[in-house]
Amino acid sequence: MEERWKVKTPEHVTLNFQLAGLGSRGAAQIVDSILLALLYSGMIALLIFTENQLDFMLEGRGWVIAFVILVLFGIQWGYFFLFEWFSGGKTLGKMMLGLRVVKEDGGKATVLSILIRNLLRIIDMLPFYYLIGMVMVFLHPQHKRLGDLVGGTIVIHERKKQRSKKKQKQTLVEKEIENRDLKSGQLVIGEWERQSVTKKDWDLLKTYVYRYPTLKPEEKNTMTREVAEILLPKLGLEDGTKSKDELATRLYAAYIELREEWEFHL
């Protein structure tokens, strides 16, 4: 039975998440550990090669070893922090298992929360290979390790996208998407923002993208501005840009990211 985590937003929207348990989190950790082991092996091989090629003095060799130790520590800590920061809460292992780190309220994990949860890996790894972390994930009702508790984060399963097997002829919408060189995955919409989208929001976005190619330039600008003012803040995609063409591109990119799940809901 899937374990769920429900969050009530200020807009009275209930968000439902499937929590990642010990099995899926452990599998993602194994993948990440294998990748890190390959990086470590590369560093050690580089050290051996360097020592064979250069005639280090005894005291100089100590500096090289100390440098390598610092680099290995940076890889171990930086790998998780940087990937979760720049990939929206996902390491390579989490990507493969379909997992993501988010805040307890379902929003996108902040830099601070990611920093805290990864700094505390030092404790979760004790006494050997995440024993404390595994015990906590197994026993905690939301499957949290110490880093999640202090950082205010949870690990969830991302919703799987459903794919239609039917091939449809290229429409005006698809031509517009092609002209703007847009593809799935180019725009990151957080899980909280995805689940806060209502049927009314989706209908507005779908109506916009279907009408846009048929409108006159003045009508395109007006409709783009009005729809962008409503939807982009809700999707976390507003950054102050005034370019109507850029706003239209973002709305079309949002349509691409949301259509597969919404087309099967309606």
Side-chain angles (χ1 to χ4, degrees):
M1 184 176 180
E2 296 180 350
E3 295 182 88
R4 314 296 297 186
W5 174 250
K6 294 185 179 181
V7 178
K8 191 82 169 182
T9 71
E11 293 80 15
H12 305 291
V13 176
T14 300
L15 308 179
N16 290 280
F17 302 97
Q18 180 187 345
L19 295 170
L22 180 59
S24 55
R25 293 186 66 170
Q29 181 62 43
I30 290 173
V31 173
D32 289 325
S33 296
I34 292 173
L35 294 172
L36 285 170
L38 292 175
L39 288 174
Y40 296 154
S41 299
M43 287 296 301
I44 293 172
L46 179 62
L47 173 61
I48 295 174
F49 173 79
T50 302
E51 287 202 308
N52 288 338
Q53 295 297 316
L54 300 176
D55 183 20
F56 285 115
M57 293 170 34
L58 182 61
E59 59 273 15
R61 185 173 297 137
W63 284 103
V64 174
I65 294 174
F67 172 75
V68 171
I69 291 174
L70 287 175
V71 171
L72 293 178
F73 175 80
I75 292 174
Q76 169 67 35
W77 182 81
Y79 169 84
F80 292 98
F81 172 71
L82 293 175
F83 261 103
E84 289 182 357
W85 180 12
F86 289 107
S87 299
K90 296 183 288 187
T91 60
L92 292 176
K94 289 185 177 70
M95 289 179 192
M96 292 181 64
L97 272 295
L99 308 181
R100 181 190 293 273
V101 177
V102 298
K103 293 194 300 182
E104 290 176 331
D105 63 3
K108 183 179 179 181
T110 63
V111 176
L112 180 59
S113 62
I114 291 173
L115 176 65
I116 292 173
R117 78 183 304 274
N118 284 296
L119 282 175
L120 289 174
R121 284 183 185 276
I122 298 173
I123 298 176
D124 283 314
M125 291 174 68
L126 297 174
F128 57 88
Y129 199 72
Y130 288 95
L131 180 59
I132 291 179
M134 287 190 291
V135 171
M136 290 195 65
V137 169
F138 180 75
L139 297 177
H140 195 275
Q142 283 83 49
H143 302 305
K144 293 188 173 192
R145 62 176 178 82
L146 180 61
D148 293 313
L149 285 172
V150 179
T153 57
I154 56 174
V155 181
I156 62 170
H157 287 275
E158 291 192 289
R159 288 183 291 175
K160 295 180 180 179
K161 295 181 179 180
Q162 296 174 295
R163 299 183 182 275
S164 173
K165 295 181 180 180
K166 296 181 180 180
K167 294 183 179 180
Q168 300 177 345
K169 294 182 179 180
Q170 190 179 44
T171 64
L172 289 176
V173 173
E174 291 168 333
K175 289 181 179 179
E176 188 72 30
I177 290 172
E178 182 179 318
N179 291 338
R180 293 179 182 275
D181 196 25
L182 295 172
K183 298 178 182 178
S184 178
Q186 286 183 274
L187 189 68
V188 177
I189 300 177
E191 188 68 20
W192 189 95
E193 287 80 5
R194 282 178 179 272
Q195 295 204 35
S196 67
V197 173
T198 65
K199 184 178 183 301
K200 183 178 179 181
D201 295 328
W202 169 247
D203 288 341
L204 175 61
L205 181 57
K206 188 174 181 180
T207 299
Y208 169 79
V209 298
Y210 273 86
R211 286 193 59 193
Y212 183 87
T214 66
L215 298 176
K216 297 178 181 179
E218 299 80 6
E219 295 173 329
K220 286 183 177 180
N221 290 338
T222 300
M223 191 174 184
T224 296
R225 185 184 67 254
E226 292 176 350
V227 175
E229 287 177 354
I230 296 172
L231 295 182
L232 292 187
K234 192 167 189 176
L235 295 172
L237 302 175
E238 186 182 43
D239 65 358
T241 182
K242 301 298 183 182
S243 169
K244 300 300 185 299
D245 189 63
E246 174 60 25
L247 293 175
T249 297
R250 292 186 192 182
L251 289 170
Y252 268 91
Y255 169 77
I256 293 173
E257 293 304 310
L258 297 173
R259 66 177 172 180
E260 292 188 12
E261 54 193 88
W262 272 99
E263 284 177 355
F264 285 91
H265 289 172
L266 301 177

